[in-house]
Amino acid sequence: AGGLIVAGALQATAGKALGNARRRASLRRTRHDMKSRRAGAIFERLRSLNPHPKTELEYASPFELLIAVILSAQATDKSVNLATRRLFADANTPQAILALGVDRLAAYVKSIGLYQGKAKNIVATCRLLVDQHGGVVPNERDALESLPGVGRKTANVILNTAFGQPTLAVDTHVFRVANRTGLARAKDVRGVADGLLKCVPAEYLHNAHHWLILQGRYVCKASKPDCPSCPIADLCEYKQKTVAPAAPEPARTRIRK
C-alpha cells in the first residue's frame, strides 16, 4: 500500500510539472504572437510611409557598395559619399584599386575617420577578390566575412542590399530603435539581430533594417528622440518619450486709454 501511495504521489508531481511546463510554453507562444503582431503593425506603418527604402550610400555595383560600407564604419554616409564620388570616378573595380595601392587610395578617403586602416583593408580585400573570386564580390556570408574589414554587419548589408537576401544588419540606429520600441531588447548586436529575426514577419524582413535605420537617423535620435512626430509612437514601449513643446502664449495687446 505504501508503495502505491508513493507511486501515486510521484505521478501527481510529474503531472503537475508537465502541466506547468505546458502553461509556460503556452505563455511564451502568446507573448511571441503578440510581439509578432505588434512588429507587423510597426513595419506596415513604416512601409506605408516609405514603400521602397534604400541605403543612403551611393553605389552602382556590389563592389562599390562593399567599399562604401567598409568606409562607413564610424563615419556618416554623407562623408563616405563625398569621398567615393571622387574615388569611383577614377577606380571602381578591385583591379583599379589594387593599381592605386594603399597610399594613393588613402589620399582619396583621408576625410573619413580611421582612413589609413580602412585603406589597408580595402586593398587587401581587393587582392582576395581578384585572387580567389575572379574580381567578383561573393554572395555567401562565409566568403564575405573572410575579407579584411568585413564583419557580420557589413556582410549582412551586402547580402541584403546587393543580393536581395532577407538579412538584418544591426548598426547603432537599429540597435537603439529595436531596444527602445521593445521589438528586440538585448545588450549586444547579436542579441538584437536574433530577436528581430524572431519577431519580424517574413514579408517585411528584406526592408526591415532600412526602415529601422531611417527611423533612428531622423526620428528616434540618440540624444533626443522626436516622439511627437514619430509615426509609431503609439506602438512603441519606450518609457521616456519626449513631448511636444508648449505653444507660446499669444502676445497681449495693450489698450491705451
Side-chain angles (χ1 to χ4, degrees):
L4 291 175
I5 293 173
V6 171
L10 290 174
Q11 187 175 8
T13 301
K16 184 177 180 180
L18 180 60
N20 289 338
R22 287 174 175 171
R23 282 191 289 274
R24 288 193 295 270
S26 177
L27 181 60
R28 285 194 295 270
R29 285 194 297 271
T30 300
R31 288 174 176 171
H32 177 268
D33 291 345
M34 290 176 63
K35 179 174 281 190
S36 294
R37 285 195 294 271
R38 189 167 65 88
I42 286 173
F43 287 108
E44 178 57 34
R45 199 170 294 177
L46 295 176
R47 181 170 68 178
S48 70
L49 296 172
N50 185 3
H52 306 291
K54 297 180 180 179
T55 178
E56 293 184 327
L57 291 171
E58 297 173 0
Y59 70 98
S61 69
F63 176 72
E64 288 188 2
L65 178 63
L66 174 62
I67 300 309
V69 177
I70 292 174
L71 290 171
S72 71
Q74 300 181 48
T76 64
D77 288 358
K78 182 178 180 180
S79 67
V80 172
N81 290 336
L82 289 173
T84 55
R85 285 171 197 163
R86 294 177 54 247
L87 172 62
F88 294 156
D90 295 336
N92 66 345
T93 67
Q95 295 85 348
I97 287 183
L98 280 175
L100 285 179
V102 173
D103 291 340
R104 290 171 62 195
L105 172 60
Y108 282 94
V109 299
K110 63 183 180 181
S111 60
I112 298 173
L114 307 174
Y115 74 94
Q116 292 175 320
K118 292 175 181 178
K120 291 178 182 178
N121 282 335
I122 287 172
V123 170
T125 283
C126 289
R127 172 57 62 195
L128 285 179
L129 290 177
V130 170
D131 291 347
Q132 299 182 11
H133 302 285
V136 176
V137 176
N139 61 358
E140 297 177 353
R141 177 181 302 282
D142 289 345
L144 284 168
E145 291 188 15
S146 71
L147 300 173
V150 177
R152 184 175 182 84
K153 187 195 82 171
T154 297
N156 278 334
V157 173
I158 303 305
L159 292 172
N160 178 281
T161 305
F163 299 115
Q165 297 184 25
T167 59
L168 266 167
V170 178
D171 69 351
T172 181
H173 299 300
V174 175
F175 185 85
R176 180 172 64 255
V177 175
N179 272 285
R180 282 179 175 173
T181 58
L183 283 172
R185 288 198 174 99
K187 295 181 179 180
D188 56 60
V189 167
R190 187 60 182 268
V192 167
D194 291 344
L196 287 172
L197 288 171
K198 290 178 182 177
C199 76
V200 178
E203 66 177 295
Y204 305 107
L205 195 54
H206 179 252
N207 289 320
H209 90 274
H210 291 297
W211 284 315
L212 294 177
I213 286 172
L214 295 173
Q215 178 74 4
R217 184 172 291 162
Y218 297 110
V219 181
C220 194
K221 302 174 185 178
S223 58
K224 188 178 181 182
D226 189 7
C227 300
S229 66
C230 177
I232 59 171
D234 58 312
L235 299 169
C236 174
E237 295 181 350
Y238 186 51
K239 294 181 179 179
Q240 284 90 38
K241 287 187 175 72
T242 59
V243 296
E249 295 184 5
R252 296 181 180 181
T253 303
R254 291 185 178 181
I255 299 176
R256 295 181 179 180
K257 294 182 178 180

